Amino acid sequence: DAKTTQPPSMDCAEGRAANLPCNHSTISGNEYVYWYRQIHSQGPQYIIHGLKNNETNEMASLIITEDRKSSTLILPHATLRDTAVYYCIVRLPVDYGGATNKLIFGTGTLLAVQP
Amino acid sequence: AAGVIQSPRHLIKEKRETATLKCYPIPRHDTVYWYQQGPGQDPQFLISFYEKMQSDKGSIPDRFSAQQFSDYHSELNMSSLELGDSALYFCASSLFNPPKGNTIYFGEGSWLTVV
């Protein structure tokens, strides 16, 4: 699975959009981009995933560049409860030839939402 | 919606004792994963099971073993506990091979303290 690079920390004002970048320059054609977050000492929480197209759900939007070498997770209106470590993970699903389905966590971005 | 259930949520054991953690996956999920997260660290993959067979193995110590039962729940057995085993242990579950890339859902974790 391709490696990802994320800034170690970011700040965001409450109510503003939080834009979390992720670099995955070695991503292969069938690898998905997943985003999870972990609020302190809780289980990692699934946010969103995508392959090529931008995706949006009730939690966030995922913008993937055309060359797929980077992506941005957007939390449209950050709240204090969004303070967490955000993980960007690239993974090849089993049905596309991946060996297994496990997630490998990197260091993530600590997003601190300020009041 | 039903989530991944882990028990116990907190466990205190002495060195050289044995501990067993249980995990009940989301209904109809056939794959279970175990992760270990030490203080200040990112979650580390230990082992996974698909249809009661080990599907992948990570950095799981030889003192640890796990299995998945016919009802798809899983147990992580840890023997000869060491102080360094003190950590948050997460179980996660997913479908093995759904369309559009599968999503892994995590439980809230079991805190193990070895004294």
Side-chain angles (χ1 to χ4, degrees), chain A residues 78-94:
Chain A
T79 70
L80 298 178
R81 287 178 294 180
D82 291 322
T83 293
V85 177
Y86 287 77
Y87 294 98
C88 169
I89 302 169
V90 172
R91 176 162 142 264
L92 184 68
V94 166

Side-chain angles (χ1 to χ4, degrees), chain B residues 1-57:
Chain B
V4 178
I5 305 298
Q6 293 188 245
S7 67
R9 293 297 311 279
H10 299 271
L11 192 60
I12 299 175
K13 290 287 186 178
E14 295 188 353
K15 284 193 303 182
R16 292 179 289 277
E17 283 193 319
T18 298
T20 297
L21 305 181
K22 296 185 178 183
C23 170
Y24 297 87
I26 292 171
R28 294 188 299 280
H29 279 188
D30 51 20
T31 305
V32 170
Y33 313 78
W34 286 98
Y35 287 78
Q36 177 192 58
Q37 187 172 27
Q41 298 181 359
D42 302 303
Q44 297 295 314
F45 172 74
L46 292 178
I47 196 167
S48 62
F49 292 87
Y50 165 61
E51 287 290 345
K52 302 178 287 295
M53 298 291 290
Q54 181 182 305
S55 57
D56 200 357
K57 190 173 182 179

Side-chain angles (χ1 to χ4, degrees), chain A residues 32 34 36 38 41-46 49 85 87 91 93-95 99-108, chain B residues 33 35 37 41-45 55-56 88 90 94-108 111:
Chain A
Y32 281 78
Y34 285 79
Y36 280 77
Q38 188 176 27
S41 295
Q42 295 183 19
Q45 178 187 23
Y46 166 77
H49 75 282
V85 177
Y87 294 98
R91 176 162 142 264
V94 166
D95 54 341
T100 67
N101 286 325
K102 68 178 182 290
L103 291 168
I104 302 297
F105 289 86
T107 53
Chain B
Y33 313 78
Y35 287 78
Q37 187 172 27
Q41 298 181 359
D42 302 303
Q44 297 295 314
F45 172 74
S55 57
D56 200 357
L88 187 53
F90 292 109
S94 74
L95 289 170
F96 186 74
N97 199 15
K100 293 189 176 183
N102 73 335
T103 298
I104 296 176
Y105 296 93
F106 287 78
E108 286 304 310
W111 279 102

Side-chain angles (χ1 to χ4, degrees), chain B residues 11 27 32 40 50 66 69 73-74 76 84-85 93 100 103 110 114:
Chain B
L11 192 60
V32 170
Y50 165 61
F69 295 87
H73 94 272
S74 178
L76 177 66
D85 296 328
S93 75
K100 293 189 176 183
T103 298
S110 293
V114 181

Side-chain angles (χ1 to χ4, degrees), chain A residues 6-10 20-21 35 84-88 107-111:
Chain A
Q6 300 177 250
S9 63
M10 293 182 63
L20 294 99
W35 283 84
V85 177
Y86 287 77
Y87 294 98
C88 169
T107 53
T109 296
L110 174 58
L111 175 68

Side-chain angles (χ1 to χ4, degrees), chain A residues 6-72:
Chain A
Q6 300 177 250
S9 63
M10 293 182 63
D11 288 344
C12 177
E14 189 177 19
R16 303 296 294 270
N19 297 285
L20 294 99
C22 178
N23 181 286
H24 31 79
S25 58
T26 61
I27 193 170
S28 67
N30 291 319
E31 287 183 306
Y32 281 78
V33 179
Y34 285 79
W35 283 84
Y36 280 77
R37 73 180 182 184
Q38 188 176 27
I39 297 168
H40 181 63
S41 295
Q42 295 183 19
Q45 178 187 23
Y46 166 77
I47 301 173
I48 198 167
H49 75 282
L51 181 63
K52 298 177 182 177
N53 300 319
N54 298 337
E55 301 287 344
T56 295
N57 63 20
E58 65 277 5
M59 288 183 67
S61 294
L62 173 60
I63 308 298
I64 303 174
T65 58
E66 191 168 345
D67 63 7
R68 304 212 319 124
K69 294 183 183 298
S70 66
S71 61
T72 301

